Amino acid sequence: MDRLTNTIRPYAWGSTTAIAELIGVEPTGEPQAEMWMGAHPGAPSRTGRGPLNEVIDEDPERELGRAAAAKFGPRLPFLLKILAAGAPLSLQVHPDLEQAKEGYQDEERRGVPVDAPHRNYKDANHKPELICALTEFDGLCGFRPPVEAAELLAGLGVDSLKPYADLLHAKPEEAALREVLTAVLSADPEQMAATVTEVTAAAERLGGDYAPYAGIAHHYPGDPGVIAAMLLNYVQLQPGEALFLGAGVPHAYLDGLGVEIMANSDNVLRCGLTPKHVDVPELLRIVRFEATDPGVLRPEASPDGEEVYDTPIDEFRLSRFVLPEGGARHDLTAGTPQILLCVAGSVRVGDAGQVGPGESVFVPAGEKAEVSGVGTLFRATVVA
């Protein structure tokens, strides 16, 4: 097994303190948004044998196991992260597998450079993801029922929002959500900026349920995504709770520290809260216009102490072990590849030795993996 040295990505929305506090070092004063653990070529974890992606490339079947290599190909199919949001991330949606393949092939055929700022599809894979809160964690996930969204908009008392509220009341669910989101994202930029300014002032004055949107607008003044965000469910996770985000579900993370796992893809279509490219027609093709319950997940405990976050996909499986005082010990040997991440306490992981908060280990398929100690350990693997 391999202790991992991981890259921290300094995106502008990252917290300046959360990751530093987790791993027990002095903050640098710069934003630290994500710590990547895995074999993504953009920032592969480093091992004593070289970058993890190169280690896997040398012998995929040995590192991943025969079943996982056959099912997912010769690459680690998931990416594990510690995510620290100090400001809202972009409002976004991810394609399903068929949409990703079609979109990627189309942009390849048209010769759109893979690093072009207006490129939508960086690969041909889907990107389901799961976020598990380590602290209180605020986010947006899925559409509200149209009537609820209409009441929220109307309560601001901003005249220019009345046509949107009327549409949400008058149309069937799918048509209402589609037409309002289309209208918001296609509006004249100057007029929309003026509307958002009015909305911001009203949200600040009213507080309560409107306070999150005042906070969003503080970071993205004049952005139509502020209005789009009000169409979505606002969710506050407590530590240990999680959200699963499937294809077509609009979402955004607003604030907090969490463990995130996703299929190994970088396909994102943005709806707002960003200076980056927003492709409205393609976005509208991908979004699922249906009201959904955010579906807060709590781990399901098994008799052996493993607490599993149940999701409907196979590219990743996330669970955790809370190891109490008294010397708990678990054998995590498996026929699939694993990344073990400590987020609290001190845990011994087989031959890799003691790992503390923020430290992680890659365990090849079939490698003996016995863990013991006192702390909290996340286990990322696949269903093969």
Side-chain angles (χ1 to χ4, degrees):
M1 63 181 65
D2 301 278
R3 295 181 74 97
L4 299 179
T5 301
N6 303 305
T7 297
I8 295 177
R9 310 307 292 262
Y11 306 138
W13 50 261
S15 168
T16 58
T17 59
I19 289 179
E21 289 174 355
L22 176 72
I23 63 181
V25 301
E26 285 293 318
T28 64
E30 300 297 319
Q32 296 181 315
E34 297 178 346
M35 178 187 289
W36 286 23
M37 290 158 281
H40 192 287
S45 298
R46 300 176 298 285
T47 76
R49 297 183 286 160
L52 184 57
N53 57 333
E54 295 180 9
V55 170
I56 292 172
D57 286 345
E58 288 177 4
D59 194 342
E61 194 167 295
R62 180 170 68 86
E63 301 295 333
L64 305 177
R66 182 172 298 176
K71 186 170 185 176
F72 304 110
R75 294 175 180 82
L76 190 68
F78 65 82
L79 176 63
L80 184 67
K81 300 178 180 179
I82 295 174
L83 183 146
L89 282 67
S90 61
L91 191 59
Q92 59 189 254
V93 69
H94 306 303
D96 64 26
L97 190 55
E98 183 177 345
Q99 290 165 338
K101 289 178 179 177
E102 290 176 355
Y104 180 77
Q105 290 169 358
D106 175 63
E107 289 185 320
E108 287 288 281
R109 187 167 53 248
R110 292 190 286 116
V112 181
V114 73
D115 58 351
H118 61 285
R119 173 122 184 185
N120 293 315
Y121 297 95
K122 305 296 176 63
D123 53 66
N125 200 12
H126 63 165
K127 193 187 177 187
E129 59 191 41
L130 177 79
I131 183 76
C132 177
L134 295 178
T135 64
E136 287 191 355
F137 194 98
D138 296 354
L140 304 169
C141 179
F143 286 110
R144 300 173 184 266
V147 171
E148 287 185 16
E151 291 173 352
L152 192 68
L153 293 176
L156 287 162
V158 175
D159 289 344
S160 52
L161 294 181
K162 188 175 186 303
Y164 303 145
D166 289 345
L167 270 174
L168 289 166
H169 277 298
K171 299 274 186 158
E173 180 177 285
E174 181 179 354
L177 295 170
R178 178 182 292 276
E179 290 186 28
V180 171
L181 184 62
T182 302
V184 168
L185 298 182
S186 305
D188 176 80
E190 289 188 7
Q191 292 178 358
M192 177 52 66
T195 294
V196 174
T197 298
E198 285 190 70
V199 165
T200 304
E204 289 174 344
R205 183 180 68 254
L206 294 167
D209 290 343
Y210 293 100
Y213 308 101
I216 292 170
H218 171 75
H219 291 285
Y220 297 99
D223 193 304
V226 175
I227 309 300
M230 300 181 76
L231 302 176
L232 307 186
N233 297 297
Y234 172 64
V235 185
Q236 285 188 301
L237 300 178
Q238 297 303 309
E241 295 181 334
L243 287 175
F244 173 74
L245 300 154
V249 177
H251 61 277
Y253 302 146
L254 304 179
D255 183 71
L257 181 70
V259 172
E260 185 183 33
I261 189 168
M262 63 191 64
N264 205 358
S265 170
D266 197 25
N267 286 326
V268 176
L269 289 119
R270 295 175 177 86
C271 318
L273 308 183
T274 178
K276 296 182 179 179
H277 176 64
V278 177
D279 184 337
V280 174
E282 185 65 10
L283 171 74
L284 297 174
R285 189 178 77 87
I286 298 302
V287 171
R288 293 182 179 175
F289 290 97
E290 58 186 21
T292 57
D293 185 304
V296 174
L297 295 176
R298 295 171 182 86
E300 298 179 10
S302 61
D304 63 1
E306 185 176 24
E307 299 177 344
V308 180
Y309 293 91
D310 187 36
T311 61
I313 52 95
D314 293 345
E315 282 93 337
F316 61 76
R317 176 184 183 274
L318 187 71
S319 61
R320 71 174 184 177
F321 291 83
V322 180
L323 307 176
E325 297 280 355
R329 187 180 298 271
H330 298 276
D331 184 357
L332 305 189
T333 306
T336 53
Q338 304 179 73
I339 292 179
L340 305 179
L341 165 67
C342 180
V343 297
S346 179
V347 180
R348 183 173 183 84
V349 180
D351 295 339
Q354 295 295 128
V355 294
E359 296 182 324
S360 54
V361 175
F362 174 71
V363 184
E367 186 84 9
K368 183 71 174 176
E370 192 171 81
V371 301
S372 60
V374 179
T376 301
L377 189 77
F378 278 85
R379 179 192 204 186
T381 185
V382 302
V383 179

